Amino acid sequence: MRRGKMAPAGAPGGVGVLWLPLALLALARTALALTEQYPALNLLQQELHRQRQGPAGGCASAGEWAEPYSAECDSSFLHFHESDCDIGGSSSCESVLSLNTEKILNQAKLLAEQKRFPFATDNDSTNEELAIAYVLIGNGLYDEAIRHFSTMLQEDPELVSAIYGRGIAYGKKGLHDMKNAELALFELSRVISLKPDHPEVFEQRAEILSPLGRISEALSDLTKAIQLQPSARLYRHRGTLYFISEDYATALEDFQRSLELNKNQPIAMLYKGLTFFHRGLLKEAIESFKEALKQKADFIDAYKSLGQAYRELGNFDAATESFQKALLLNQNHVQTLQLKGMMLYHHGSLDEALKNFKRCLQLEPYNEVCQYMKGLSHVAMGQFYEGIKAQTKVMLNDPLPGQKASPEYLKVKYLRGKLKLYLHAHLDTPLTEYNIDIDLPGNFKDHWAKNLPFLIENYEEQPGLQPHIKDVLFQNFESYKPEVQELICVADHLGSMMQYETPGFLPNKRIHRAMGLATLEVMQAVQRTWANSKVRMNGKTRLMQWRDMFDIAVKWRRIADPDQPVLWLDQMPARSLSRGFNNHINLIRGQVINMRYLEYFEKILHFIKDRILVYHGANNPKGLLEVREALEKVHKVEDLLPIMKFNSKTRDGFTVNTKVPSLKDQGKEYDGFTITITGDKVGNILFSVETQTTEERTQLYHAEIDALYKDLTAKGKVLILSAELGEVDAVCNLILSLVYYFYNLMPLSRGSSVIAYSVIMGALMASGKEVSGKIPKGKLVDFEAMTAPGSEAFSKIARSWMNLKSISPSYKSLPSVSETFPTLRTMIEVLNTDSSHCLKKTIVVV
């Protein structure tokens, strides 16, 4: 690990972090938390949004999976008779005047005799009157029940059952009306003051409080209920609220207690799995979901969750099987169709994804996620007319005043606006004649890269699609010439070599093909450069520079998924660049562990411990021995919390800044990335890394990369003439060193890792060496570069798995990628082409 310096969080050069108690604004933060680590989980955000609106009534507790919870709901009231009318009050419910009076009285009489309602009295006549009102509630006639209870309370103001029943009726009228909510809470609080030892009243009040977002109060009530009389239901209910509050560890404890009291609870087992899932513990989540399915074989939500867990793990086949089982149980299950469609899109199977989004919209026409993804799928395949139609519908869903806009609403403005029209207008323009980084307005790029709301001053709405430019048509694989078919299959093979075998990285065959073609085009362009040929870029013919080499990969990565802004940060507006762009990654946020980077936790922790010793040696030498002894006991990030207390400046957290040694100027160092740790207790920690790309930092890295590229070009020209072993080895090291600085600079808003690796592979092939080894399981090339002590160390690590061998002569016979796919249309066509034929062919280079 590199040398670096350490400073208190919030100090100059550090990263200030504001911590809020988890209970504060818990519901408002939940949607962000659910999608930050797992972007595909927009569906879960929708579910929580529905819960936050509050139920119109019924016994469903605030939670994520409203449907199954209410189905199994065994709350403390209104489970004493068969109702002829849905509890929620459906349109089939008739007025009390048209009900069979005799039937109501018979139900009430039976209820009164068995005292099967809350707080029954010793007076038979009073019980019959109370029972009538409870039967009215059961039939959805809440206003009539309220009037009946009110009449009784005029005679006896402290009749507890009537107060309780009226509170229930107000709650079931609908919590969307705050007046109902306030009256319900008032009545239930009165009951608690009169009868403080009844757990069901605390539970009922919690069920009113939780949909209103008053989670801490609801938790307090449930805790009191548990103290009075613990039950599996109460623990499950409280666990659900802890889950919403992002306190997954405490939620897990409650679900575990609930299951100990009642093992056969598929809902509690599902939630137990979800607590693991949202902490990034995917394997544990999968085991819990499987256990839920053992208890309930037709549990659709368990299959859906299992599918999503496998998808996050990167296991496409297992995820597909689980989603398919959910759809076999219910082919109209919208949530599963949506999640399966999103998985297929990110797997590169756009045609199949589109089928799921269309089916989703048939069942739920106003589903914003499916609507947006349908439009995105069309745009990615070059079907711009259909894409604009689909995404215009998303734009019509303007959020109400004070309502937070959905992620889809925020993104659609960019995709439907300038970008889509720009891509369509340039479908048939040679790629060498224009540059999206230069052509797109600066503010547009800045907002898009930062995922900000589309509020751009002086933005001119673009003209519509140009009718004379037709959409991209499907290109059959067999319609390509045999040598082009071979080119496509070789690209698929090369792209698959870049796949990370790490949780969180789903294989994407569209990205594989795009980056495989990028690798081949880089190889061909570098070979031409070393042979003194010029290239045509941005409408000019000149010698190729290092950015041109990366731009080849950028254009392929960019078009493979137009949803993601793959932009050069130094091409942003000067004002924005001067402030810096932050590439931020949370490794641990609260109780959520980022499984993608788990392999690097120990390495980063060792570096932090080393920096702490240096820091205390300089600032607190007397306490150094005590700190050293404490550090010996540190084995995980949480163990650092007590050590942070040793110094007042680091009590609330600290930052550690890494340094990157220069090859060009020996002894000089550049800023690497910043490691930040803040928090005061386990479960309330932020452990993150961040790269800040400023104009000054960018210029320093560019100078380093320029010098390496100049040296690489000179040695490459010599290599073509001599092809001696020593020259090849020197060229390989220069390529890896150049990309080492690219990784540490992080100059792109998205996609830097795979873009850089395709450049490595392509440039090495130009030197006569081919990568035959796959990236090891758990390893991430960008993090290998960022945590290496220098370029030589990175080169050594990378070469250890690349297993370089002499390139196959057959590569020379492949057609030119840039000439075969000279326009955006031809690029999209080849990415759309079915790749299954390649599995039947023998790839020439293997």
Side-chain angles (χ1 to χ4, degrees), residues 79 101 153 192 249 310 417 701 719:
H79 275 254
T101 305
L153 287 167
I192 287 172
Y310 277 127
Y701 273 88
L719 179 65

Side-chain angles (χ1 to χ4, degrees), residues 373 757 828:
M373 292 303 298
Y757 203 64
I828 295 173

Side-chain angles (χ1 to χ4, degrees), residues 498 515-516 518-519 522 553 743 753-763:
M498 304 179 204
M515 303 323 293
T519 297
V522 167
Y743 274 128
S753 185
V754 73
I755 285 167
Y757 203 64
S758 64
V759 168
I760 288 175
M761 290 180 65

Side-chain angles (χ1 to χ4, degrees), residues 339-356:
L339 285 175
K340 184 184 176 188
M342 291 178 74
M343 179 189 71
L344 287 165
Y345 178 89
H346 292 289
H347 180 60
S349 305
L350 272 55
D351 269 333
E352 290 300 311
L354 201 50
K355 292 174 186 175
N356 283 269

Side-chain angles (χ1 to χ4, degrees), residues 54-67:
C59 54
S61 297
E64 192 167 354
W65 307 89
E67 183 182 343

Side-chain angles (χ1 to χ4, degrees), residues 145-155 162 166 170 187:
I146 290 168
R147 283 194 288 270
H148 198 91
F149 283 129
S150 297
T151 301
M152 297 186 73
L153 287 167
Q154 285 175 356
E155 298 178 10
R166 191 163 66 175
Y170 278 127
E187 301 289 23

Side-chain angles (χ1 to χ4, degrees), residues 690-739:
E690 183 174 77
T691 301
Q692 189 173 41
T693 304
T694 62
E695 187 173 11
E696 181 185 1
R697 181 176 180 273
T698 299
Q699 288 174 356
L700 291 170
Y701 273 88
H702 279 193
E704 190 79 28
I705 297 172
D706 282 337
L708 284 166
Y709 182 77
K710 184 178 179 181
D711 199 7
L712 174 63
T713 303
K715 282 189 167 54
K717 290 178 178 180
V718 173
L719 179 65
I720 284 183
L721 298 173
S722 67
E724 289 184 10
L725 186 61
E727 294 292 344
V728 174
D729 200 52
V731 166
C732 288
N733 285 332
L734 280 170
I735 291 166
L736 291 168
S737 295
L738 187 152
V739 176

Side-chain angles (χ1 to χ4, degrees), residues 406-478:
S406 69
E408 290 69 38
Y409 182 82
L410 293 175
K411 289 193 294 184
V412 75
K413 294 267 188 173
Y414 296 100
L415 195 60
R416 184 190 176 278
K418 181 80 177 175
L419 180 67
K420 185 184 300 182
L421 298 171
Y422 180 88
L423 294 176
H424 183 261
H426 289 83
L427 268 177
D428 300 305
T429 307
L431 290 155
T432 55
E433 302 303 311
Y434 64 95
N435 186 326
I436 192 169
D437 282 285
I438 295 173
D439 296 345
L440 288 179
N443 283 346
F444 177 93
K445 294 187 297 178
D446 184 51
H447 280 63
W448 187 29
K450 294 176 179 175
N451 198 27
L452 297 174
F454 192 91
L455 300 171
I456 300 174
E457 294 180 9
N458 304 321
Y459 177 75
E460 294 182 14
E461 190 64 39
Q462 303 299 305
L465 298 179
Q466 300 174 39
H468 70 280
I469 302 177
K470 303 302 179 186
D471 273 351
V472 176
L473 299 176
F474 178 76
Q475 188 83 357
N476 205 307
F477 183 81
E478 285 80 7

